Amino acid sequence: MISRLRFANRRSQFASYIRELSTSHTRSEKYDCKVLVVGGGSGGCAMAAKLTKRLGKNNVIILEPAEKHYYQPMFTLIGGGMKRLEQSYKPMADVLPKKAKWLKEKAVEFDPDRNEVQTSCGNTIKYDLLLIATGLQLKYNAIPGLLDALSIPNSKVCSIYSPDYVDRVYDCLRSTTDGNVIFTFPHSPVKCPGAPQKIVYISEHYFRKVARRNDVNIVYNTALPVLFGVKHYADALWPIVKKRNITVNTRTNLIEVKPGQDIAVFENLDNGERFEEKYSMLHVTPPMCAPDELTKCKELVNEAGFVNVDKSTLQHVKYPNVFAIGDSSGTPNSKTAASAAAQSPVVFRNMISVLDGKPLTSSYDGYASCPLVTGYNRCILAEFDYSLTPLETFPIAQNKERYSMFIMKKDLMPILYWEMMLPGYWNGPALMRNLLSPFKLNKSK
Ligand code: UQ1
């Protein structure tokens, strides 16, 4: 009797499996749109807003699997206990334009020759214009031992780069009483390349505030050959690290973590020598790369895996109906939210020109900005372009640590981001810079 029941059960399971297969097959859908935006991060969201305003209802589809949209520039401040994780996100549904169609799916295959993208749910989206705004991926798994180290409760290893680990940073600061406090910068492209050292300065200030500074040794091991890529600001930062007794080792790359022993293994990128350092706190900036789905479409990407667009027009070099914005773009600017903001009017105007069959007229100068928070009340606002020369907004010496810039970063930028950038109204500070330019008088001298 029991075996007959079991058999009947199996048969009905099998039938429902077949039903599932056949319905999931018929469920796969074909969509058609004027513009497909892949990614609902800073660039994708701002662009979807601009495009829907111009093109009207149901002409724009956004592919984005995440439920939450994080304001990632807040993560350094969360690391220092100045903001809470809950302040850094909103539901994706609240930030994407209502008149666009949001598919909560991931792009898994790009076919630019057929103007199609396949999604994780087996759907096909056909587009006239494609905007790639996928961002990049964090590769915590590329460092042996790192994921294990991060998964230990009350771990001494932390990272501001992921919402999963950012809360841990302030916990680590509070529980570290002495020993080596080590920070890393990986041997890969990085989003917000200033952030790995912002958290160094914030932590150093934290230890001074709680009178533990003399008991900890603060070390910043960076794979880069420089402290900061723009000399004007590097010249301002070196005296700060010296004065605050922060050890900076350039060309030094984290290659392994041994969580059981609290040991980090580094490699000297100049001579290949390996050495170990014991840590009482280890802050890791993970290696990063373009998303695999993108990298595997060789026609779309450059050797590094990022979208191969013209650095001025942001139009794809081979496919005129494909554009990129933000971190997934192969342009040689620093990958920051401010860069995406400055790219957005260029991408918008040039996409509309393609739709109208007109020549492209708008060009991006490589603008990036990096509010280098140097503690709990100071910030150097670095702003520069492709040529790595300063392109500053305010008529003051921005290479100095300032309270005003700290308040701008901590309190004004989140408002600007949620209320202006994501709804498509913020085009970067170029207009403000031009309005303020008459007040600039040899300010850096
Ligand atoms: C900016 O435009 C931007 O994107 C919205 C940021 O990210 C949050 C920034 O941190 C900064 C500094 C800018 C540039 C804005 C001004 C007013 C200089």
Side-chain angles (χ1 to χ4, degrees):
M1 175 69 184
I2 286 177
S3 73
R4 215 184 309 145
L5 257 180
R6 236 188 238 147
F7 180 67
N9 250 347
R10 285 228 182 97
R11 222 176 32 188
S12 85
Q13 264 172 13
F14 183 65
S16 81
Y17 177 62
I18 293 292
R19 227 178 7 252
E20 172 69 20
L21 264 186
S22 59
T23 49
S24 66
H25 179 70
T26 51
R27 250 190 263 136
S28 90
E29 287 186 47
K30 261 197 175 314
Y31 296 90
D32 217 323
C33 61
K34 260 204 178 108
V35 183
L36 171 60
V37 179
V38 182
S42 311
C45 192
M47 283 303 301
K50 282 181 186 292
L51 289 161
T52 32
K53 258 180 246 143
R54 172 65 70 98
L55 302 173
K57 209 170 160 118
N58 290 335
N59 282 313
V60 178
I61 292 182
I62 305 152
L63 262 186
E64 171 54 65
E67 278 286 356
K68 286 177 186 161
H69 178 112
Y70 286 94
Y71 174 57
Q72 297 175 41
M74 196 178 273
F75 286 3
T76 37
L77 302 179
I78 297 171
M82 290 176 256
K83 297 270 184 182
R84 284 171 291 104
L85 184 60
E86 304 77 65
Q87 294 173 284
S88 71
Y89 63 81
K90 292 194 179 184
M92 191 63 73
D94 291 2
V95 297
L96 294 178
K98 301 280 173 291
K99 287 183 178 168
K101 184 171 183 63
W102 173 30
L103 296 179
K104 206 173 150 304
E105 299 170 34
K106 198 172 155 104
V108 290
E109 212 157 316
F110 292 83
D111 189 345
D113 289 312
R114 301 173 66 169
N115 300 320
E116 279 180 7
V117 168
Q118 308 289 331
T119 77
S120 46
C121 299
N123 298 321
T124 305
I125 306 168
K126 210 167 174 59
Y127 55 80
D128 294 341
L129 248 62
L130 171 67
L131 177 64
I132 302 176
T134 55
L136 41 61
Q137 56 176 329
L138 305 175
K139 301 282 286 181
Y140 285 101
N141 57 351
I143 309 242
L146 179 56
L147 277 178
D148 285 346
L150 286 164
S151 66
I152 300 171
N154 304 320
S155 170
K156 295 175 179 173
V157 182
C158 57
S159 177
I160 52 168
Y161 269 87
S162 160
D164 296 338
Y165 309 126
V166 64
D167 268 342
R168 185 84 61 76
V169 181
Y170 195 49
D171 291 342
C172 280
L173 284 177
R174 280 183 295 185
S175 58
T176 305
T177 52
D178 55 12
N180 288 333
V181 177
I182 304 175
F183 299 82
T184 73
F185 186 111
H187 192 36
S188 80
V190 161
K191 58 175 156 179
C192 194
Q197 68 180 288
K198 293 178 202 175
I199 195 61
V200 180
Y201 301 127
I202 291 170
S203 303
E204 195 276 340
H205 193 179
Y206 176 85
F207 288 116
R208 267 190 287 136
K209 285 202 317 170
V210 295
R212 271 183 247 147
R213 180 62 184 96
N214 292 335
D215 304 322
V216 293
N217 179 30
I218 297 186
V219 181
Y220 178 46
N221 285 344
T222 169
L224 294 177
V226 290
L227 182 56
F228 197 77
V230 181
K231 188 175 177 303
H232 183 66
Y233 303 107
D235 288 348
L237 292 165
W238 275 114
I240 294 173
V241 297
K242 297 239 160 75
K243 184 168 151 233
R244 291 166 65 172
N245 197 20
I246 296 166
T247 305
V248 178
N249 298 312
T250 54
R251 301 285 287 157
T252 302
N253 185 34
L254 176 72
I255 51 171
E256 190 181 347
V257 181
K258 298 180 178 173
Q261 305 164 64
D262 297 338
I263 282 177
V265 186
F266 293 92
E267 180 185 29
N268 179 321
L269 292 169
D270 288 326
N271 58 23
E273 262 173 36
R274 291 173 175 217
F275 62 96
E276 297 190 342
E277 268 177 324
K278 187 130 179 103
Y279 59 80
S280 48
M281 168 174 164
L282 175 66
H283 178 274
V284 179
T285 299
M288 301 174 203
C289 66
D292 298 337
E293 300 75 26
L294 203 54
T295 318
K296 72 181 183 197
C297 183
K298 296 289 175 234
E299 302 84 21
L300 280 181
V301 299
N302 62 19
E303 321 78 60
F306 293 94
V307 188
N308 204 357
V309 291
D310 179 89
K311 66 186 259 205
S312 298
T313 62
L314 305 170
Q315 181 186 45
H316 197 273
V317 295
K318 185 172 165 212
Y319 300 98
N321 65 338
V322 177
F323 287 79
I325 190 167
D327 299 345
S328 61
S329 153
T331 47
N333 56 280
S334 275
K335 297 181 188 300
T336 69
S339 327
Q343 289 166 356
S344 66
V346 176
V347 176
F348 174 70
R349 285 188 215 114
N350 288 343
M351 286 180 92
I352 296 298
S353 295
V354 172
L355 280 178
D356 293 346
K358 294 191 175 142
L360 309 193
T361 52
S362 200
S363 91
Y364 170 57
D365 56 9
Y367 174 83
S369 100
C370 180
L372 287 151
V373 178
T374 51
Y376 281 79
N377 49 14
R378 291 284 181 271
C379 174
I380 287 177
L381 178 60
E383 293 179 280
F384 46 94
D385 61 13
Y386 276 136
S387 65
L388 301 183
T389 42
L391 186 58
E392 298 184 339
T393 303
F394 299 104
I396 50 172
Q398 287 186 205
N399 59 347
K400 306 254 180 319
E401 293 178 272
R402 290 181 184 276
Y403 181 64
S404 54
M405 294 296 134
F406 176 79
I407 292 301
M408 187 202 71
K409 158 77 183 171
K410 179 167 134 319
D411 299 324
L412 301 183
M413 278 302 137
I415 300 172
L416 181 94
Y417 183 80
W418 297 117
E419 307 301 331
M420 302 238 337
M421 182 170 174
L422 295 192
Y425 301 117
W426 176 246
N427 292 331
L431 178 65
M432 196 188 277
R433 183 169 63 239
N434 291 338
L435 290 173
L436 292 172
S437 66
F439 303 100
K440 285 183 190 171
L441 292 165
N442 275 342
K443 62 195 174 79
S444 294
K445 299 278 151 54

